[in-house]
Amino acid sequence: MKVSALCIVVALFISENLYAQVPQIIQKNGRHTLLVDGEPFLILGGQARNSSAWPGMLPQVWLSAEKMHVNTLEVPIYWEQVEAQPGHFDFSIVDALLSQARQHRIRLVLLWFGTWKNGSNHYMPDWMKRDAAKYPNITGKNGPAIDSPSPHSVATLEADVKAFSTVMRHLKAADPQHTVIMVQVENESGSWGSVRDYSPSAQKLFEGQVPAELLKPELLKALNQPVVTGGTWHEVFGDRADEYFQAWSVARYIGKVAAAGKAEYALPLYVNAALRDPLTNPTANNYESGGPTDNVIPIWKAAAPAIDLVAPDVYFSGSERVLKVLDLYNRADNALFVPEADFSPLHAKYMYEVIARGGIGFSPFGIDDNGEGETLKETEQRLAPFAQEYAMAAPMMRDLAQWDFDGKIKTVTEREDHAQQTLDLGDWQVKVWFGGDGRGNAAPVYGQPTGKVMFVQLSPNTFIATGTGCHITFSPTGANTGRPWQYLKVEEGHYENGIFKVLRIQNGDETDWGGPGFGTKPTVLRISLVAR
């Protein structure tokens, strides 16, 4: 059969068009956005539990995803399942996830549980676990083996490179629709129980010269280290040498895995971090050493350029620590993404903070019932704090992503002291108080500090506002200072396909006593102000 030149041209055009639409992260003026199908996309995510990516578990996962109104499901794929026998790959679960995600119209972020999962190698195939000599773990400082894979094992690296690149090759062929929009390489890499590997081969590297990539003046300054031209790890990094060596070793390993995968299919790739306390600068024996914690982000950037971003798993409580984490990972060279957050009503408000910082997405961990047999009502009640936020945001997701990228969004979230806060919106200042009776009483009638409000500045005098558990009032400032003012219109409504639909105009009691308020469910308001 002859194939016409026109058919070849059409096929090439389709192929190039599909390739052009591969998800990617772009940057502008220090802000980032994730492009999906060529348009800004905000991940309203949820992560399945660790052992839920099996056929018998997936129905409850999809039920939870739908009830939570996620647009993206984060779900693991397991090395031990994909390559149960050396060199023999089984992609049945990957293909099932792709098919079911398309049926549910939900995107996927796949989590490669390969060499590392929570600092251990528990998802390696059985044939690797049985051969500890070939695929060794870390040797502790005083000799015992640690339950964590060695980043210096060439055999383990070669096996992971082969497996991950084969997964990515399969994804490119099986997913031209780009159902999968990102891939996480490993999970919370690093080690517990030993700051680094003290095996003879690792010790030889540690006693050698620091790689040239880490001796660049700007990198040393970012690590608060003196600028030097060479030296051993201890000579260059002093008391931090062990943890910096471990970070370089783990990042270099994962960077090679990522580079091999990206050579097959250039999806955005990221790594997630088990965090250290961001306020106290603890030493590495107090956290998972070697992972992309805040103090070693520059090392990870140098060691693993194929990784598009490093992402914090946010399980801390307390606004001060959480907001500090978000600020540390929100960098000009790093898109902010929270791939795991504590599944607590107290953490729902941090989605607003991620968006205001130009983040590309937010995802609480453990959306499914993990086989516990919840009733539908129990599932809905458990998901409600996040589900109501996602239901509000989903119809205007593309708009939020673009506003986010353009820097038009600001937020206020309730702190533990429930104190009133103010926000500068150009020629207007807005005061926010939480709970209360709408007349300035800031008593936390909702108990826990869950209040929040988000403002999108559409024009100097027009805002979209949404939130829960708070009241707001405006006052003129800037060019409006001293001028009398009033609400021109406060419209309550919702978005449908990116278009604001008015339900009613709020007036009288809804705006006269201190200003508009937000109750226990998020309300979307379009607020127009006028200074006379």
Side-chain angles (χ1 to χ4, degrees):
M1 178 183 294
K2 292 184 178 180
V3 179
S4 70
L6 178 60
C7 289
I8 293 174
V9 170
V10 170
L12 287 172
F13 173 80
I14 291 172
S15 176
E16 290 174 359
N17 188 55
L18 285 171
Y19 181 78
Q21 299 298 310
V22 172
Q24 61 177 311
I25 296 171
I26 63 171
Q27 185 261 10
K28 179 180 70 176
N29 299 326
R31 300 181 74 85
H32 304 83
T33 195
L34 171 66
L35 296 181
V36 175
D37 297 333
E39 298 180 15
F41 187 91
L42 179 65
I43 293 175
L44 305 174
Q47 185 171 147
R49 293 182 182 271
N50 291 168
S51 302
S52 295
W54 294 93
M57 302 294 292
L58 285 175
Q60 214 288 325
V61 173
W62 291 117
L63 172 65
S64 296
E66 289 198 333
K67 293 298 181 181
M68 194 168 149
H69 305 285
V70 306
N71 62 22
T72 306
L73 175 68
E74 295 179 20
V75 61
I77 54 174
Y78 316 117
W79 191 359
E80 63 181 352
Q81 192 272 346
V82 168
E83 194 184 6
Q85 298 299 324
H88 298 278
F89 292 91
D90 177 2
F91 295 113
S92 57
I93 190 62
V94 176
D95 293 338
L97 286 167
L98 292 173
S99 175
Q100 292 177 30
R102 291 166 193 153
Q103 293 171 16
H104 291 274
R105 298 182 179 274
I106 291 174
R107 303 281 183 164
L108 293 173
V109 171
L110 296 183
L111 317 177
W112 175 239
F113 283 10
T115 298
W116 280 274
K117 168 65 175 79
N118 292 357
S120 299
N121 64 356
H122 297 170
Y123 284 88
M124 280 184 185
D126 291 358
W127 51 272
M128 296 180 70
K129 294 177 183 175
R130 292 192 181 101
D131 194 347
K134 186 174 182 179
Y135 308 106
N137 278 359
I138 279 176
T139 299
K141 190 171 185 178
N142 297 316
I146 302 298
D147 186 20
S148 184
S150 171
H152 307 289
S153 170
V154 174
T156 310
L157 173 61
E158 289 176 346
D160 201 340
V161 163
K162 179 181 179 181
F164 185 68
S165 58
T166 304
V167 168
M168 295 299 286
R169 188 183 314 128
H170 178 79
L171 272 182
K172 184 175 183 179
D175 189 29
Q177 302 95 321
H178 309 306
T179 308
V180 178
I181 58 175
M182 287 205 303
V183 176
Q184 177 183 293
V185 189
E186 318 298 346
N187 178 274
E188 293 189 354
S189 57
S191 58
W192 298 99
S194 181
V195 174
R196 65 172 176 89
D197 190 358
Y198 290 87
S199 66
S201 60
Q203 190 63 26
K204 183 178 180 180
L205 291 171
F206 180 76
E207 293 170 357
Q209 295 293 297
V210 171
E213 294 95 324
L214 297 183
L215 296 174
K216 296 178 180 179
E218 61 273 18
L219 189 147
L220 290 170
K221 290 177 183 177
L223 295 172
N224 296 314
Q225 297 292 327
V227 175
V228 295
T229 58
T232 66
W233 285 87
H234 190 266
E235 288 170 344
V236 175
F237 296 118
D239 292 343
R240 293 284 178 173
D242 289 337
E243 60 191 291
Y244 288 179
F245 174 74
Q246 176 74 342
W248 168 263
S249 303
V250 174
R252 197 67 165 173
Y253 179 114
I254 293 176
K256 291 177 180 178
V257 175
K262 188 166 280 188
E264 298 290 344
Y265 185 24
L267 280 177
L269 304 178
Y270 74 95
V271 290
N272 63 329
L275 300 177
R276 68 179 201 143
D277 190 323
L279 303 179
T280 61
N281 192 31
T283 55
N285 56 348
N286 293 288
Y287 63 89
E288 187 175 16
S289 177
T293 49
D294 66 271
N295 58 320
V296 295
I297 292 176
I299 294 176
W300 271 81
K301 293 291 181 181
I307 294 294
D308 293 277
L309 66 98
V310 298
D313 290 349
V314 180
Y315 293 94
F316 284 128
S317 59
S319 296
E320 184 181 11
R321 277 185 170 78
V322 173
L323 297 182
K324 180 66 173 179
V325 165
L326 299 185
D327 288 338
L328 288 168
Y329 284 83
N330 179 30
R331 299 162 48 111
D333 64 351
N334 195 71
L336 178 60
F337 174 49
V338 175
E340 294 185 34
D342 190 11
F343 206 99
S344 158
L346 290 171
H347 281 68
K349 64 185 177 185
Y350 297 123
M351 180 186 82
Y352 284 43
E353 296 283 1
V354 169
I355 293 173
R357 286 164 172 76
I360 64 171
F362 181 86
S363 179
F365 171 78
I367 66 170
D368 57 292
D369 74 351
N370 204 27
E372 294 176 2
E374 284 181 342
T375 65
L376 178 59
K377 184 176 181 180
E378 288 171 337
T379 297
E380 290 175 337
Q381 289 175 338
R382 180 172 56 83
L383 298 175
F386 293 94
Q388 64 185 17
E389 299 296 342
Y390 284 8
M392 172 275 297
M396 59 183 194
M397 178 273 291
R398 294 284 188 181
D399 300 274
L400 281 171
Q402 185 65 58
W403 292 329
D404 184 6
F405 191 38
D406 293 338
K408 294 182 177 180
I409 299 178
K410 293 185 177 181
T411 62
V412 169
T413 53
E414 186 174 5
R415 306 296 180 88
E416 286 70 29
D417 62 3
H418 312 288
Q420 176 180 292
Q421 299 179 50
T422 60
L423 195 62
D424 180 17
L425 298 174
D427 291 333
W428 301 95
Q429 184 183 77
V430 62
K431 294 181 181 179
V432 183
W433 64 92
F434 300 96
D437 58 6
R439 294 175 174 81
N441 175 13
V445 298
Y446 299 109
Q448 296 295 319
T450 58
K452 53 196 174 297
V453 62
M454 177 192 308
F455 297 94
V456 182
Q457 188 152 14
L458 302 179
S459 74
N461 301 315
T462 306
F463 307 88
I464 294 292
T466 185
T468 62
C470 66
H471 286 77
I472 62 175
T473 188
F474 291 83
S475 59
T477 188
N480 290 329
T481 300
R483 298 172 64 184
W485 72 280
Q486 67 182 76
Y487 293 104
L488 188 64
K489 195 174 290 185
V490 178
E491 300 166 291
E492 179 183 340
H494 63 278
Y495 273 78
E496 288 183 12
N497 301 317
I499 298 173
F500 185 74
K501 302 286 187 178
V502 178
L503 172 65
R504 63 172 176 167
I505 296 175
Q506 291 190 4
N507 212 328
D509 289 345
E510 283 68 48
T511 57
D512 288 348
W513 303 104
F518 300 91
T520 56
K521 293 184 178 180
T523 306
V524 181
L525 303 178
R526 184 166 63 188
I527 301 172
S528 301
L529 308 171
V530 60
R532 299 188 171 200

